[in-house]
């Protein structure tokens, strides 16, 4: 039998972001605790237990409020990063704090055990569609591991899963006029970075979240690296190099006829 958490104390409520921290159609923020108090603090009209209602969310957005149980509700605003951030700031200003560490059994009462609760939390956060089947297989792996039947997940597999959950950062670097922005536009399937015959056209880095056949990556296109850059371009190049230092993958793009760097 799953153990039931103690009832929340009056006036205490925690939040947890249940959707990936990348743009999406909607975001889900779960509130856990004294829901009536939290909604009142946020100026959201009461929502009866067992119902879903359309509400103004702290005057930031209009979205849905789902009241699953007396102590669990979900706010569902549009999933833009700015909307989500503003709403989370409003929760903090209203005195709610992030659940720390999040009680996954409380967040996922339908889970049979801790392994399944962790898996559901990871699926909820995962940015890449490719993560879903792999994560669904994880509770069985961990149960077998707990019974001594299987070694722990190898580090390479864990790294892969982490990249499917938190999108890796890919940064394209190289000289100007070699097709870096064309490559980004081709991968994105739309015109997001200026392409021109003139070197120095990409004046600042351009970042975008890309779904590459099920693998979601954060991709950054950068201004070309060239010695005779003007001061503004030079500044943009230094910033691009700093971002490249944090990258999981740096793509060096160059003219096919030129020697590699
Ligand atoms: N021949 C050829 N030209 C390309 C290729 N990719 C891009 N270009 C052209 O090269 C020029 C510079 O491209 P751009 O993407 O702006 O390069 P960037 O400065 O590295 O971002 C443009 O005129 C593109 O149309 C390619 O694979 N082959
Ligand atoms: Mg460019």
């Amino acid at each position: 039998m799953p153990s039931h958490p103690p009832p929340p104390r009056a006036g205490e409520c925690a939040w947890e972001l249940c959707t990936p921290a990348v743009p999406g159609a909607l975001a889900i923020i779960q509130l856990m605790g004294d829901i009536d108090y939290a909604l009142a603090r946020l100026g959201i009209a009461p929502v009866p237990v067992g119902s879903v209602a359309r509400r103004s969310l702290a005057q930031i957005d209009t979205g849905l409020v789902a009241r699953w149980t007396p102590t669990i509700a979900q706010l569902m605003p549009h999933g833009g990063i700015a909307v989500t951030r503003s709403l989370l700031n409003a929760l903090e200003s209203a005195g709610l704090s992030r659940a720390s560490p999040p009680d996954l059994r409380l967040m996922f009462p339908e889970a049979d055990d801790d392994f399944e609760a962790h898996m559901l939390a990871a699926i909820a956060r995962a940015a890449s569609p490719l993560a879903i089947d792999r994560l669904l297989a994880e509770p069985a792996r961990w149960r077998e591991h707990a019974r001594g039947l299987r070694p722990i997940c190898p580090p390479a597999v864990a790294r892969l899963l982490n990249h499917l959950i938190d999108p890796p950062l890919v940064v394209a670097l190289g000289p100007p006029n070699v097709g870096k922005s064309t490559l980004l536009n081709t991968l994105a399937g739309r015109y997001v970075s200026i392409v021109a015959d003139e070197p120095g056209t990409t004046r600042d880095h351009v970042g975008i979240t890309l779904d590459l056949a099920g693998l979601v990556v954060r991709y950054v296109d950068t201004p070309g690296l060239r010695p005779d850059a003007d001061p503004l371009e030079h500044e943009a190049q230094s910033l691009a190099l700093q971002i490249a230092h944090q990258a999981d993958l740096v793509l060096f793009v160059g003219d096919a006829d030129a020697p590699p760097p």
Side-chain angles (χ1 to χ4, degrees), residues 175-182 194-197 202 221:
N177 229 18
V178 292
K180 296 183 300 302
S181 299
T182 304
I194 302 169
V195 169
D197 273 335
T202 306
D221 183 29

Side-chain angles (χ1 to χ4, degrees), residues 101-113:
D103 186 336
L104 299 181
R105 296 304 297 278
L106 184 58
M107 281 182 75
F108 299 98
E110 68 274 35
D112 282 340
D113 56 18

Side-chain angles (χ1 to χ4, degrees), residues 173-198:
L173 285 182
N177 229 18
V178 292
K180 296 183 300 302
S181 299
T182 304
L183 177 63
L184 167 59
N185 292 340
T186 305
L187 292 172
R190 61 196 168 92
Y191 197 66
V192 287
S193 191
I194 302 169
V195 169
D197 273 335
E198 294 290 311

Side-chain angles (χ1 to χ4, degrees), residues 101-169:
D103 186 336
L104 299 181
R105 296 304 297 278
L106 184 58
M107 281 182 75
F108 299 98
E110 68 274 35
D112 282 340
D113 56 18
D114 284 354
F115 298 129
E116 202 171 309
H118 273 91
M119 179 273 288
L120 291 173
I123 282 192
R125 251 174 21 82
S128 285
L130 276 178
I132 293 172
D133 285 346
R134 288 174 180 272
L135 287 173
L136 284 174
E138 282 298 297
R141 290 174 61 99
W142 282 92
R143 281 179 206 125
E144 285 187 18
H145 171 67
R147 285 164 41 216
L149 300 177
R150 190 194 268 268
I152 201 155
C153 184
V157 175
R159 257 199 313 277
L160 172 73
L161 273 175
N162 285 340
H163 280 329
L164 292 174
I165 294 168
D166 295 314
L169 177 64

Side-chain angles (χ1 to χ4, degrees), residues 47-69:
V47 176
V49 173
S51 63
V52 179
R54 191 165 176 269
R55 293 280 186 266
S56 166
L57 304 175
Q59 283 158 4
I60 290 164
D61 192 20
T62 298
L64 298 178
V65 179
R67 182 81 185 267
W68 301 116
T69 70

